[in-house]
Amino acid sequence: MPLLSTDVLRADVLRHLTFTLGKDTPNASRYDWRMALSYAIRDRIVAPWFASTRRTWAEDRKRVYYLSMEFLIGRILEDATVNLGLRDAAEAVMQAEGQDFRAIIEDEPDAALGNGGLGRLAACFMESMATVGCPAYGYGIRYEHGLFRQRFQGGQQVETPEDWLKQAHPWEFARPESAYTIPFKGEVITRDGREVWQPGETVIASAHDTPVVGWQGKWANTLRLWEAQPTTMFDLERFNRGDYAAAAEPEALARTLSRVLYPDDTTYQGKELRLKQEFFLTSAALQDILRRFKKAHTDLRDLPKHVAIQMNDTHPAIAGPELIRLLTDENGMGFDDALDTARACLGYTNHTLLPEALERWATFTFGTVLPRHMQIVERIDSWHRRTYNPPHYIGVVKHHEVRMGELAFVMAHKVNGVSALHSDLVKQNLFPELHRLHPGRIVNQTNGVTPRRWLKMANRPLAGLITDTIGSGWEDDLDRLKGLEAHVGDKGFREHFDAAKRANKVALAGWIKAECGVTVNPDALFDVQVKRIHEYKRQLLNILETIAHWHAIRENPTGNWVPRVKIFGGKSAPGYAVAKEIIHLINDVAATINADPVTGDLLKVVYPANYNVSMAERLIPASDLSEQISTAGKEASGTGNMKFMMNGAPTIGTLDGANVEILQEVGAENFFLFGMTTEEAMARRQDPDHSRKAIEASQPLQDVLQMIAEGLFSPGQKDRYHGLVHRVWHHDYFLVASDFDTYHAAQGRVDAAYADRDIWVKMAALNTARSGFFSSDRTIRSYMAEIWDIPSAL
Ligand code: 26V
């Protein structure tokens, strides 16, 4: 059977090479082989994709529409082969053709249509919806340029443009027939007692569909990404008048709309182009949803029976007013019916509590770009105020701003946080008043990650061991990993578990050597912090503690130290100066420590540039320790934390986000907990002198700050980090100083545990065994039951 499918696959690859690529084997490049293989694999997705679509129509099933400005997909080829059960066949075919399968896989550009956690969650959800048989469409923007590429120049981040569409993208089907006009600006006039929007600009949203196939090809859904195109290619009238530049204006507007992903996920900026992108996605999606609904139904009041729309953060929160506009202005429904209908369809997921990231648009900008929606928002707000008549009304429109969080809340039948702790904070701190008015509307949906990509595909040694130990079937029933617990007492199993980890570490060490030029010892403890660089995520705490550790080794070089490799990865928003300074410091510290003959192999620091999904797939399976050290109350969930746990890396972390649930699942004895709780952190900030007191109470921290201040890591520019050190002393909002000592102590407990192989491997294996809860299949089933009211089609 595998032999046969290999032969058929090989014939198909050669057919595509010849007839799709127009190449014969002697002249085929790696790119040609990758494309030929990708087309041959894509062909095999089409049958399940059609079958799923046909069944959804035939059975008139309710569908979920996942609206997201970001889908951080990464590479597709290997993941698709894994889900179709063709991974080994694909490798065999490439081998038979004299091709290096790994190199072919890595030739694919990493589709980075997202910034971080929110975008990667959307990608995991797409895969899980296909796996559990939830009829679904993902809607997003087909950015010409994804997240920038990161380079380091003198240790500092430099951004260069990303260009994933430079080569042909073999996974999508262009659907030029699915196109909608998206209006902007202009004015609203009254005609026959009705409001009529006369837009000043329009662009076309044109669809590109990528099939997303689930585990074992039982179901497949569509990711539909919109590309902006000009309504008129060229204004011939203007051109003929000699106004050459203006003649190209509509084209220029359209091209900028889907040109680039906004790379700043830290502070909301209020830029008109961003608002236009949000409306572009949302309006195109809603027009498409209504068109599809009308093919099978007539009464738009039945929409909620057939349609669930999930807003991934407030970025598509214009969906509330836009759906009302389409139902009323374009379809003649009354306002009250439209409001009820829209609300019954819409759900809103909140992903951040950070005030600077909450979207608010100046009413001037909002009213200029979307004049009709401004009216509708005012009407929603006054309806809500009248209906609930609360004592301290937090309006949607306040101080000349439209607050997108409040808008999304009011227009959704369910609002959810992304971890148990976060959902409580959404109730208590973010929307206390709205929560009182609408008790029961806020629910929790703890995030998850897909075990197909993050375990089966990324960690073949461990996945193989799991299957050898408990059989197959865990891939789409991750609670079965519990079955590993019975084996952790078995020395043979532990040796295999350890060997799998070591194989990954050896491979990573080779890559680090090639990438960073640093030789690392695969027997050292690989301690990894990878995520966007944010003050609240506290990469600064990690590097300060690294310096303290280095200092301690130097004071006693013959001590019984556990060798460590500190691995950092992540990008800063281009305009986030403080984050960029932290990157610079990490690289400066790495250069100093790595050149120190005293500490040598006992401590290395590496920071490979351009962390992305593909790099995560390399780093996480080779990690011994997962750094999840955010200031309590600030990380909504985290999803990297779940990937590390699955791959057998215990966490050093605070009681924040989903760490709380990881600790609960794995048990305190298998988790290195430290730091203040959310309440303690809030109380601590009340003391204006908190950081000075913490530093004065900690000799190691004082030493570290002094070394930095003296220019030990920046010999050519001794004052380079004066600002940074000053902020730790005097403006330490994220409590780096106050959590330093407990973090340092927790790292000591890590060393002690790692030194005892039996203890460590048992702990690591229990992390994998108890990670079942963090499968995104569980998350999706829960959304289906509690928010979308959609049954599985499988
Ligand atoms: C925020 C903003 C703010 C202004 C405009 C542009 C922009 C683009 C992206 C974002 C994303 C911030 C929210 C986010 O990524 N949250 C993360 O969501 C993860 C999935 O739920 C969660 O695990 C992380 O804890 C949370 O930080």
Side-chain angles (χ1 to χ4, degrees):
M1 174 60 182
L3 238 179
L4 182 70
S5 67
T6 303
D7 290 343
V8 178
L9 183 62
R10 185 175 182 182
D12 287 346
V13 170
L14 289 169
R15 182 172 52 79
H16 276 295
L17 193 69
T18 311
F19 296 108
T20 311
L21 281 301
K23 286 284 180 84
D24 59 358
T25 43
N27 298 312
S29 64
R30 181 173 288 162
Y31 167 81
D32 296 323
W33 283 110
R34 171 168 69 81
M35 295 303 272
L37 177 60
S38 298
Y39 286 124
I41 295 296
R42 189 183 74 171
D43 289 348
R44 285 157 169 76
I45 301 177
V46 170
W49 191 30
F50 283 4
S52 305
T53 309
R54 283 201 200 100
R55 274 208 33 215
T56 304
W57 281 106
E59 295 165 15
D60 193 23
R61 284 181 177 274
K62 187 169 180 179
R63 300 162 177 90
V64 59
Y65 295 103
Y66 199 82
L67 270 57
S68 179
M69 286 287 281
E70 307 191 3
F71 287 91
L72 223 187
I73 301 163
R75 292 180 179 137
I76 293 175
L77 174 56
E78 192 181 10
D79 187 58
T81 64
V82 166
N83 274 0
L84 292 171
L86 290 170
R87 195 219 166 266
D88 291 346
E91 180 165 25
V93 167
M94 287 298 116
Q95 224 155 33
E97 296 297 340
Q99 296 301 309
D100 177 345
F101 183 63
R102 222 39 264 162
I104 297 247
I105 292 299
E106 288 169 17
D107 184 58
E108 181 177 355
D110 181 298
L113 309 186
N115 273 289
L118 166 145
R120 184 53 235 175
L121 185 76
C124 282
F125 278 11
M126 287 306 297
E127 200 273 354
S128 274
M129 289 190 288
T131 291
V132 308
C134 175
Y137 282 78
Y139 281 119
I141 295 179
R142 186 174 176 273
Y143 301 107
E144 204 175 314
H145 304 285
L147 187 63
F148 65 85
R149 281 206 202 105
Q150 179 194 52
R151 287 188 303 116
F152 294 135
Q153 210 167 62
Q156 289 180 280
Q157 170 172 302
V158 176
E159 302 91 22
T160 56
E162 189 280 345
D163 216 358
W164 72 297
L165 289 174
K166 194 165 64 183
Q167 299 174 330
H169 180 53
W171 300 104
E172 69 182 6
F173 296 90
R175 305 286 193 215
E177 73 281 13
S178 295
Y180 300 93
T181 301
I182 312 298
F184 298 103
K185 301 198 166 176
E187 55 191 358
V188 181
I189 60 161
T190 314
R191 186 187 294 153
D192 307 330
R194 291 185 47 209
E195 316 290 347
V196 178
W197 181 15
Q198 299 187 319
E201 294 171 0
T202 56
V203 300
I204 305 285
S206 180
H208 295 256
D209 287 351
T210 302
V212 179
V213 67
W215 175 240
Q216 294 179 329
K218 292 177 192 163
W219 192 264
N221 288 317
T222 304
L223 174 60
R224 173 160 276 196
L225 302 181
W226 302 102
E227 178 193 17
Q229 289 173 352
T231 8
T232 51
M233 245 2 218
F234 208 70
D235 192 332
L236 202 59
E237 212 173 292
R238 275 177 159 175
F239 186 82
N240 289 339
R241 282 203 306 269
D243 201 353
Y244 305 120
E249 249 171 43
E251 193 180 354
L253 166 73
R255 289 179 55 84
T256 51
L257 251 185
S258 57
R259 176 104 69 192
V260 62
L261 166 79
Y262 270 87
D264 190 343
D265 65 347
T266 57
T267 38
Y268 139 85
Q269 301 260 341
K271 290 274 190 325
E272 181 178 300
L273 180 63
R274 168 78 182 183
L275 179 60
K276 281 182 157 180
Q277 285 186 334
E278 293 181 351
F279 180 66
F280 171 77
L281 158 70
T282 306
S283 179
L286 292 176
Q287 291 186 56
D288 202 37
I289 292 166
L290 292 184
R291 178 200 52 85
R292 196 171 293 111
F293 175 83
K294 286 176 179 179
K295 287 218 281 189
H297 306 277
T298 47
D299 191 345
L300 280 164
R301 283 169 305 184
D302 288 338
L303 200 66
K305 288 188 207 148
H306 305 277
V307 167
I309 301 167
Q310 194 64 29
M311 300 183 278
N312 199 22
D313 216 300
T314 57
H315 314 156
I318 193 67
E322 173 65 354
L323 187 49
I324 291 178
R325 183 187 74 88
L326 292 169
L327 292 174
T328 56
D329 295 4
E330 312 262 309
N331 288 277
M333 194 186 278
F335 180 84
D336 291 346
D337 275 351
L339 186 84
D340 287 347
T341 304
R343 234 182 2 177
C345 290
L346 290 165
Y348 157 47
T349 305
N350 173 278
H351 294 271
T352 184
L353 303 166
L354 302 181
E356 64 273 24
L358 299 177
E359 289 186 298
R360 295 170 282 117
W361 296 101
T363 50
F364 177 77
T365 308
F366 197 95
T368 303
V369 175
L370 302 168
R372 177 65 182 130
H373 298 79
M374 191 65 241
Q375 295 178 331
I376 294 172
V377 167
E378 301 274 13
R379 191 152 172 198
I380 292 168
D381 203 16
S382 63
W383 159 81
H384 190 255
R385 189 191 306 265
R386 258 186 293 110
T387 310
Y388 295 93
N389 192 30
H392 321 282
Y393 188 60
I394 306 298
V396 175
V397 183
K398 196 115 187 204
H399 306 314
H400 307 288
E401 286 184 324
V402 182
R403 301 164 170 234
M404 300 307 268
E406 279 75 9
L407 175 63
F409 191 115
V410 166
M411 285 307 303
H413 72 288
K414 284 279 160 49
V415 174
N416 76 281
V418 290
S419 71
L421 173 66
H422 170 64
S423 296
D424 283 341
L425 295 171
V426 169
K427 290 179 192 165
Q428 290 163 27
N429 300 350
L430 189 59
F431 298 124
E433 182 70 21
L434 288 170
H435 175 51
R436 265 191 293 280
L437 295 181
H438 306 284
R441 187 174 297 186
I442 301 176
V443 296
N444 176 243
Q445 301 294 337
T446 298
N447 283 166
V449 302
T450 169
R452 274 75 61 186
R453 178 179 287 263
W454 294 108
L455 186 51
K456 181 88 175 168
M457 181 189 99
N459 196 342
R460 286 168 53 81
L462 180 55
L465 175 62
I466 292 169
T467 302
D468 290 347
T469 309
I470 60 170
S472 53
W474 53 270
E475 294 92 339
D476 61 346
D477 184 7
L478 205 65
D479 288 327
R480 289 202 204 172
L481 293 183
K482 277 253 148 38
L484 295 172
E485 279 191 37
H487 300 268
V488 300
D490 172 355
K491 196 164 169 53
F493 173 79
R494 285 204 306 274
E495 279 169 8
H496 283 121
F497 194 95
D498 205 13
K501 180 64 76 182
R502 193 166 192 287
N504 297 330
K505 290 171 69 175
V506 169
L508 180 62
W511 181 81
I512 287 173
K513 178 75 197 174
E515 198 70 15
C516 312
V518 179
T519 306
V520 301
N521 173 8
D523 293 315
L525 188 164
F526 283 16
D527 168 337
V528 182
Q529 186 172 22
V530 285
K531 47 184 83 246
R532 286 296 286 256
I533 312 298
H534 277 267
E535 286 161 284
Y536 83 81
K537 294 177 188 284
R538 296 200 295 192
Q539 284 91 355
L540 180 59
L541 176 60
N542 188 345
I543 197 65
L544 295 182
E545 201 278 336
T546 302
I547 297 170
H549 186 58
W550 177 62
H551 188 59
I553 300 175
R554 286 178 61 89
E555 301 273 280
N556 177 18
T558 57
N560 196 16
W561 301 102
V562 173
R564 270 211 201 214
V565 181
K566 284 271 179 182
I567 303 173
F568 292 84
K571 297 175 183 178
S572 160
Y576 189 175
V578 173
K580 287 190 151 178
E581 207 170 11
I582 294 168
I583 291 176
H584 198 180
L585 176 64
I586 295 170
N587 281 321
D588 275 350
V589 170
T592 307
I593 291 181
N594 294 345
D596 183 0
V598 177
T599 46
D601 243 12
L602 292 178
L603 184 61
K604 294 287 177 209
V605 182
V606 292
Y607 191 164
N610 201 39
Y611 176 68
N612 58 12
V613 171
S614 308
M615 198 194 293
E617 290 164 6
R618 217 185 265 288
L619 295 181
I620 293 172
S623 300
D624 292 307
L625 185 66
S626 164
E627 296 270 355
Q628 309 299 337
I629 60 177
S630 52
T631 313
K634 297 297 177 188
E635 189 70 89
S637 160
T639 47
N641 49 2
M642 302 168 185
K643 297 165 195 165
F644 282 99
M645 181 195 193
M646 249 174 225
N647 282 279
T651 302
I652 183 166
T654 48
L655 278 179
D656 201 15
N659 293 356
V660 176
E661 290 152 90
I662 289 177
L663 171 65
Q664 196 177 322
E665 294 288 317
V666 81
E669 65 288 6
N670 302 303
F671 187 113
F672 298 93
L673 179 66
F674 75 95
M676 285 176 286
T677 62
T678 305
E679 291 73 30
E680 287 166 347
M682 295 198 309
R684 181 83 188 165
R685 285 194 196 99
Q686 298 308 302
D687 179 348
D689 268 347
H690 62 81
S691 50
R692 188 181 53 77
K693 287 179 186 161
I695 296 166
E696 281 170 357
S698 169
Q699 192 59 50
L701 180 55
Q702 267 175 59
D703 293 346
V704 167
L705 291 174
Q706 195 178 338
M707 285 185 262
I708 300 172
E710 285 172 355
L712 189 62
F713 306 101
S714 52
Q717 186 191 2
K718 295 198 180 308
D719 63 354
R720 182 175 292 164
Y721 297 109
H722 279 185
L724 184 145
V725 170
H726 177 86
R727 282 195 304 276
V728 178
W729 275 95
H730 303 291
H731 307 283
D732 182 22
Y733 178 79
F734 295 102
L735 304 170
V736 167
S738 297
D739 272 343
F740 183 88
D741 280 350
T742 57
Y743 179 57
H744 196 39
Q747 290 288 18
R749 302 202 304 274
V750 169
D751 280 336
Y754 194 78
D756 185 324
R757 290 320 290 159
D758 276 348
I759 291 187
W760 187 268
V761 178
K762 182 167 174 249
M763 200 186 285
L766 284 174
N767 267 269
T768 299
R770 295 173 180 173
S771 66
F773 181 72
F774 301 104
S775 166
S776 44
D777 300 347
R778 183 269 310 153
T779 312
I780 287 301
R781 289 201 178 92
S782 176
Y783 275 84
M784 290 165 75
E786 294 170 24
I787 299 180
W788 301 335
D789 191 26
I790 293 183
S792 168
L794 291 176

